[in-house]
Amino acid sequence: SSQVCLLRVCILLFMVVSCNAECYIQKPEVDLSSVDDITDHLQVIHDFNSEWEKDCYNCLCALFGIRCCNKIPTAIEHPDECEMVVDKTTCSFTLALASDHSKPCPFA
């Protein structure tokens, strides 16, 4: 029983360490009349050093451009019997049985 618990902890730690966050950088479209902000692809103006969340991405406006990183991992290691189930309303995920998403992955 303690070995099973230890195995579950090791699997969980492995999954957390092997999570990949997807990030992208948008080069600045600087308005020459104002060097204090950048316009994003939606034509929204952001001040330098400002941060915000949009569609489960954490974004930062910096001199190099706008960097946004997905809060939900794009790929995690998990047993074949399980799948990652994403909830975009809460920007979270769970591991569930592939055959029945209402049941949690017993190996996580």
Side-chain angles (χ1 to χ4, degrees):
S1 62
S2 64
Q3 289 177 335
V4 172
C5 184
L6 181 60
L7 178 61
R8 286 185 178 175
V9 169
C10 288
I11 289 172
L12 181 61
L13 288 174
F14 175 74
M15 288 188 302
V16 170
V17 170
S18 60
C19 289
N20 295 320
E22 173 189 307
C23 297
Y24 67 89
I25 295 177
Q26 176 189 333
K27 299 288 184 186
E29 297 175 17
V30 178
D31 178 0
L32 295 178
S33 65
S34 172
V35 294
D36 296 327
D37 55 41
I38 294 179
T39 303
D40 70 12
H41 69 285
L42 299 174
Q43 301 306 311
V44 176
I45 296 173
H46 300 282
D47 293 330
F48 286 125
N49 299 318
S50 63
E51 296 181 29
W52 66 97
E53 182 183 312
K54 177 78 172 149
D55 299 325
C56 295
Y57 280 82
N58 285 327
C59 298
L60 166 70
C61 179
L63 292 174
F64 59 79
I66 295 174
R67 184 193 75 209
C68 295
C69 294
N70 197 340
K71 293 175 64 173
I72 303 170
T74 56
I76 62 168
E77 296 291 327
H78 55 77
D80 291 340
E81 302 86 16
C82 302
E83 289 180 343
M84 189 168 93
V85 179
V86 175
D87 181 349
K88 289 197 174 191
T89 59
T90 61
C91 299
S92 63
F93 73 95
T94 58
L95 286 178
L97 286 175
S99 60
D100 184 353
H101 286 179
S102 69
K103 295 182 181 173
C105 180
F107 308 105

